[in-house]
C-alpha cells in the first residue's frame, strides 16, 4: 500500500493536482475534505459553524488515519490545516507514505484565493488586504508542519501538467 499525501496552503492546487496525478500514475485520489463532508453529511463550512473547528479537526485526524491505514494505494489531498493538528505532521513520512508540499508564494495564493473567497469559510469575510495578511501569518505559523514533507514542489508560475509531471518524476 502506497500513500502519496499532498499538503500545502489552501489554494496551492492540492485538489486539482491530486486528480491529474491520479490519472497520470493510475492511483485513486481521495480528497480528505470531501470525505469529511460525506461522513458528517455536512459541508466543511457547516461543520465549522455548527460543530466548531475542534470537532472538525478531530474528524479530520480520524479520517486521515483511516485513509493512511487502508489497504489500497491512494493519493490523498489534505486540507490546508491537516498537517498542523493532532500531530498529523508526524504521519507524513510513515512507512509507505510519501508527502509532497505544494509550495506557493503569498502573491500566488492571494491571487487564487481572492477570486474564490466565497467558497473558503476562513477568508470569506475578509477584504483583499486582510486576505494577504491572513495568508502571510498562516504560512509563517504552518511552515514548520509543511516543511516536514518528503518533497517540496514550487507551484508558482507552473501549469498543472508541469506540476504533476515534476511529482511523477519524484515518485519514479
Amino acid at each position: 500500500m502506497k500513500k502519496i499525501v499532498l499538503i500545502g496552503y489552501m489554494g496551492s492546487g492540492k485538489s486539482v493536482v491530486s486528480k491529474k496525478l491520479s490519472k497520470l500514475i493510475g492511483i485513486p485520489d481521495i480528497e480528505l475534505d470531501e470525505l469529511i463532508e460525506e461522513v458528517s453529511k455536512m459541508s466543511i463550512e457547516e461543520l465549522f459553524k455548527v460543530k466548531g473547528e475542534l470537532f472538525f479537526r478531530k474528524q479530520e485526524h480520524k479520517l486521515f488515519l483511516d485513509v493512511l491505514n487502508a489497504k489500497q494505494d491512494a493519493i490523498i489531498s489534505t486540507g490546508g490545516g491537516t498537517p498542523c493538528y493532532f500531530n498529523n505532521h508526524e504521519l507524513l513520512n510513515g512507512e509507505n507514505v510519501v508527502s509532497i508540499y505544494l509550495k506557493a508564494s503569498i502573491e500566488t495564493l492571494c491571487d487564487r484565493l481572492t477570486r474564490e473567497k466565497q467558497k473558503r469559510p476562513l477568508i470569506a469575510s475578509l477584504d483583499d488586504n486582510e486576505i494577504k495578511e491572513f495568508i502571510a501569518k498562516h504560512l509563517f505559523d504552518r511552515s514548520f508542519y509543511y516543511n516536514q514533507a518528503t518533497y517540496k514542489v514550487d507551484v508558482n508560475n507552473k501549469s498543472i501538467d508541469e506540476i504533476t509531471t515534476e511529482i511523477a518524476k519524484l515518485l519514479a
Side-chain angles (χ1 to χ4, degrees):
M1 77 178 174
K2 179 185 203 175
K3 304 295 192 251
I4 300 162
V5 180
L6 300 180
I7 65 169
Y9 199 71
M10 66 176 154
S12 63
K14 299 177 302 288
S15 298
V16 178
V17 169
S18 176
K19 286 172 182 35
K20 184 81 172 185
L21 188 61
S22 173
K23 289 179 182 150
L24 183 66
I25 65 175
I27 294 176
D29 70 302
I30 297 169
E31 189 161 342
L32 195 57
D33 281 352
E34 286 179 5
L35 184 60
I36 292 166
E37 290 179 336
E38 188 181 307
V39 169
S40 68
K41 299 186 180 12
M42 297 174 115
S43 70
I44 300 298
E45 187 176 3
E46 286 175 298
L47 271 173
F48 266 75
K49 281 182 186 172
V50 176
K51 304 268 188 171
E53 186 176 5
L54 183 59
F55 176 87
F56 169 78
R57 296 297 177 192
K58 285 180 179 176
Q59 187 80 342
E60 177 183 58
H61 176 68
K62 180 199 175 303
L63 293 172
F64 187 44
L65 279 174
D66 289 350
V67 172
L68 287 176
N69 292 322
K71 299 277 186 240
Q72 70 181 25
D73 290 350
I75 300 167
I76 305 161
S77 173
T78 65
T82 305
C84 310
Y85 296 91
F86 293 100
N87 293 324
N88 286 336
H89 67 285
E90 294 176 0
L91 305 171
L92 297 177
N93 295 299
E95 192 173 329
N96 296 317
V97 176
V98 175
S99 53
I100 300 161
Y101 170 25
L102 300 183
K103 188 173 184 175
S105 69
I106 293 169
E107 290 72 26
T108 296
L109 294 169
C110 282
D111 181 52
R112 292 177 182 179
L113 292 171
T114 51
R115 286 183 276 147
E116 58 179 53
K117 73 179 189 178
Q118 296 313 316
K119 294 186 263 178
R120 307 288 187 164
L122 291 174
I123 61 166
S125 64
L126 304 178
D127 69 34
D128 292 359
N129 288 333
E130 291 171 320
I131 288 173
K132 186 171 187 174
E133 190 175 310
F134 182 88
I135 291 168
K137 181 189 178 319
H138 263 168
L139 279 181
F140 177 78
D141 292 344
R142 294 178 175 186
S143 65
F144 168 79
Y145 303 102
Y146 290 162
N147 284 307
Q148 302 301 308
T150 313
Y151 299 108
K152 291 153 197 66
V153 173
D154 184 320
V155 300
N156 298 303
N157 304 310
K158 291 181 185 170
S159 70
I160 299 302
D161 286 340
E162 290 171 318
I163 296 164
T164 52
T165 300
E166 186 175 337
I167 292 171
K169 287 178 184 174
L170 289 171
L171 299 172

